[in-house]
Amino acid sequence: MATPAAPAVARTAGPLDGLRVEHTGPPGPGEGLVAEHLRLLGAAPGRGTGGRTTVTGGGPGSVTVRTGWGPDASDEATAQAVTGIMAVHGRRDGAPRGLAVDHAATATGVLAVQGLLAALLARARGNGRAADVDVDAERAGLLTVSQYLAAVGAEEGEAAELAPGGPPFTSSDGTLFELETLDPGMWAAFWRALDAPEESIRRGWRPFQFRYATACAPFPQALHTAARACSWEQVRRAAHSSGADVCPLVSLAGRAAEHDGAAPWALTPHDASYTPARTAGELPLAGFTVLEAGRRIQAPLAARLLGLLGAEVIRIEPPGGDPLRGMPPACSGVSARWLALNRDKKAVEVDIKSPGDRERLRELAADADVFLHNWAPGKAAQLGLDHEQLAAANPALVYAYTSGWADRLPDAPMGTDFMVQARTGVGEAARPADEPPAPSLMTLLDVLGGLLGTEAVLAGLLLRERTGHGVRVDSSLLGAADVLTAPARSRAAQGLSPRHPAGFRRPLRTADGWIALADHCSLAYDVRDRTTAEALRGLRDRGLTAVPVVTDLADLLSTGPIGRDAHGAPVVPNPWSFA
């Protein structure tokens, strides 16, 4: 029986209250998500459908966003194929695989809402340049794999082997489970409790540690064998005694039964005396300052996107700088992955354990528009840096917390990407019915959680602009999982099969590569004896849509719209175009 979740928070004033929405034009990726998120933010639902969304009323003119698939893609399957999503997701399996969830379209929809909010914010401050926004799924897809592209384009190779393999593990009584720990001692203690061989324990730590970076984890088979020899209760006891965390894979039906109906973010306004300012600039967030204290992917990516929209981003780093700057592979001595998330940010070193430095951070927050972090639950309050403390000095602050669980699930495991995937049914939704459930080792939720964090901050800034209130905004990996699995979870709630049929979005091998058919024409074809070019011509002659699958991300560096920064690191194009 599912554990009841915390009740959804009652709705407060929304940043789009009093505004109207109209949808026109041909269908576009993520159009349903765009409509739903605008409704949740207070806009009055409009008529029609389509990938062109216009928001009107309550201010100087209208703002329009258009979503499309891009120059080569025509739907989700082809977008995943041409942007490298299939290549990255398939690393665990040793061959390209399509995600059964609409990852590219979901990212496109969230980016479209971001573009609308940013344009509305700019116009409210007197900057009328950003009235039209374009977002396409190919640019969105490249953004979701930007860290992997950065690593491929680095001067040195990966620090861990790229080879098939990875979780979940399976107990003797059939429970599929994910394991999480950030400590090598806890890792070793867990496996020793399951009587795994010492050499396998030692060899398994590195691929486990780097799986967030490589999207694969080629463990020694002996670890899977050790897990299969133990009952789920023995696995739980081993986790408890070692300090590691384990989570059984939850079904979509189970997640649907406990779902609380909450929005993917929460906006909590409070009284302030904020006076809107007028600004001008090429980008919609020109003149805004964001103070970011982020780690790993979620918060740094959210801040990176705010910087791309024109904000000045000041990153809080520990004394000596962020140690992840040195994480291999590197470009000109700086981690390529770190640059993908943190380029163009200013850095200030602050020792948050020092009372004096914490006071410096409060002073920085007093002059900022946004304070953004993803510290562990309770840490901000422990440091005296929670919303209440910072708002006391800057009542008009938009205080943004991007967390794992948003305090919505009792007894939740560690709030990391793969644990949240396991706990929310993503492992089932991401794969078709003929594959066992397994979370993707591509960081789906860290990336989508970062996108939702940016969306929440923009909503908070617009709410402040329109009401004069300071705002606390909360987003989470749980919210990201619920957005990504919404269609599958809806089917499960209706008693229907939530998973797509066998072979769904599985690329076809050719004599020299792989091809992917569009979702509407995914039939069984054997093209193994034909070259990719021959197979594509044959399918297109039959009126079928297909594209070659990118299997080596390095190909995108030479043929796609990827640039290079001053360090020589790959840079994906901005996901929005403003006019």
Side-chain angles (χ1 to χ4, degrees):
M1 181 176 177
T3 305
V9 177
R11 183 185 179 279
T12 57
L16 301 184
D17 283 359
L19 304 187
R20 298 182 302 279
V21 176
E22 290 188 3
H23 305 282
T24 57
E31 65 177 80
L33 182 151
V34 172
E36 174 64 5
H37 283 209
L38 295 180
R39 182 190 69 80
L40 290 170
L41 291 170
R47 300 163 295 173
T49 60
R52 187 176 190 272
T53 301
T54 302
V55 177
T56 59
S62 63
V63 172
T64 297
V65 65
R66 286 174 292 271
T67 61
W69 289 107
D72 297 315
S74 59
D75 71 347
E76 179 69 27
T78 53
Q80 290 188 24
V82 301
T83 60
I85 291 175
M86 286 187 174
V88 176
H89 173 59
R91 285 181 180 179
R92 177 188 177 276
D93 302 292
R97 286 283 189 276
L99 285 161
V101 287
D102 293 345
H103 189 56
T106 300
T108 304
V110 176
L111 287 162
V113 177
Q114 291 173 9
L116 273 174
L117 294 172
L120 288 167
L121 184 60
R123 292 176 74 81
R125 292 166 68 89
N127 182 353
R129 297 183 181 182
D132 291 281
V133 190
D134 282 283
V135 182
D136 72 54
E138 288 189 33
R139 283 184 289 170
L142 290 174
L143 177 66
T144 69
V145 298
S146 58
Q147 291 184 82
Y148 307 102
L149 279 166
V152 168
E155 299 164 350
E156 56 188 5
E158 287 280 8
E161 180 187 10
L162 294 182
F169 300 97
T170 307
S171 67
S172 62
D173 41 3
T175 298
L176 277 70
F177 67 93
E178 271 285 346
L179 167 67
E180 185 65 281
T181 178
L182 307 179
D183 185 286
M186 292 180 181
W187 162 268
F190 172 81
W191 288 109
R192 285 174 187 142
L194 299 187
D195 293 325
E198 284 294 326
E199 177 62 15
S200 296
I201 296 172
R202 184 190 65 78
R203 288 175 47 220
W205 170 248
R206 191 170 185 81
F208 180 81
Q209 179 187 23
F210 278 91
R211 72 199 191 284
Y212 282 92
T214 60
C216 59
F219 301 137
Q221 188 58 37
L223 297 184
H224 287 282
T225 302
R228 288 193 194 96
C230 299
S231 68
W232 172 238
E233 184 55 35
Q234 288 174 298
V235 170
R236 289 182 59 192
R237 287 201 301 266
H240 179 75
S241 64
S242 66
D245 215 346
V246 292
C247 179
L249 268 61
V250 171
S251 69
L252 287 162
R255 178 65 190 136
E258 67 177 4
H259 189 246
D260 58 7
W265 14 244
L267 310 179
T268 308
H270 60 265
D271 289 337
S273 56
Y274 173 72
T275 302
R278 297 185 69 80
T279 60
E282 292 295 324
L283 294 170
L285 292 195
F288 287 91
T289 299
V290 176
L291 188 62
E292 176 228 321
R295 55 192 184 136
R296 300 177 76 89
I297 298 172
Q298 184 184 10
L301 176 58
R304 166 71 178 150
L305 293 172
L306 294 168
L308 289 176
L309 288 166
E312 178 185 55
V313 180
I314 302 172
R315 178 171 166 77
I316 301 301
E317 298 190 5
D322 187 346
L324 293 181
R325 287 176 181 264
M327 180 183 179
C331 288
S332 301
V334 182
S335 169
R337 286 192 181 88
W338 188 91
L339 287 167
L341 295 167
N342 296 297
R343 67 170 50 89
D344 299 328
K345 299 177 183 178
K346 296 181 178 179
V348 175
E349 294 184 11
V350 174
D351 181 1
I352 59 174
K353 298 178 182 177
S354 161
D357 272 16
R358 289 199 297 273
E359 186 57 36
R360 279 183 60 216
L361 197 153
R362 293 186 191 97
E363 291 170 0
L364 289 168
D367 294 326
D369 296 284
V370 177
F371 178 68
L372 168 67
H373 76 90
N374 64 337
W375 291 328
K379 184 173 182 179
Q382 178 186 353
L383 295 170
L385 300 171
D386 205 355
H387 170 246
E388 290 76 12
Q389 288 85 22
L390 296 189
N394 181 0
L397 184 70
V398 173
Y399 183 100
Y401 181 32
T402 59
S403 66
W405 299 106
D407 293 326
R408 284 173 52 198
L409 286 181
D411 303 320
M414 190 182 298
T416 56
D417 188 307
F418 305 139
M419 294 295 268
V420 179
Q421 285 195 51
R423 179 61 182 81
T424 58
V426 175
E428 189 176 47
R431 297 182 179 272
D434 59 335
E435 296 181 22
S440 176
L441 287 180
M442 181 176 164
T443 51
L444 304 181
L445 301 187
D446 274 336
V447 170
L448 185 53
L451 296 182
L452 289 172
T454 304
E455 185 184 32
V457 167
L458 290 166
L461 286 169
L462 185 58
L463 182 59
R464 182 184 74 162
E465 197 73 22
R466 298 190 71 200
T467 65
H469 293 149
V471 188
R472 172 176 175 136
V473 301
D474 290 271
S475 60
S476 65
L477 300 183
L478 174 60
D482 285 344
V483 168
L484 188 61
T485 61
R489 197 178 63 250
S490 175
R491 293 192 295 270
Q494 299 173 61
L496 305 174
S497 174
R499 304 182 76 187
H500 287 288
F504 182 70
R505 287 191 189 146
R506 190 167 298 150
L508 304 177
R509 183 184 284 278
T510 66
D512 59 354
W514 298 80
I515 61 172
L517 288 98
D519 284 338
H520 69 275
C521 51
S522 290
L523 302 175
Y525 290 94
D526 187 351
V527 291
R528 287 174 293 180
D529 60 345
R530 299 186 181 187
T531 66
T532 297
E534 291 169 344
L536 290 174
R537 280 197 301 270
L539 292 168
R540 289 168 182 168
D541 287 346
R542 299 185 187 187
L544 301 174
T545 302
V547 295
V549 177
V550 171
T551 56
D552 184 350
L553 297 186
D555 292 341
L556 291 171
L557 302 180
S558 57
T559 62
I562 311 298
R564 296 273 181 169
D565 67 8
H567 296 273
V571 182
V572 300
N574 282 10
W576 323 269
S577 295
F578 291 95

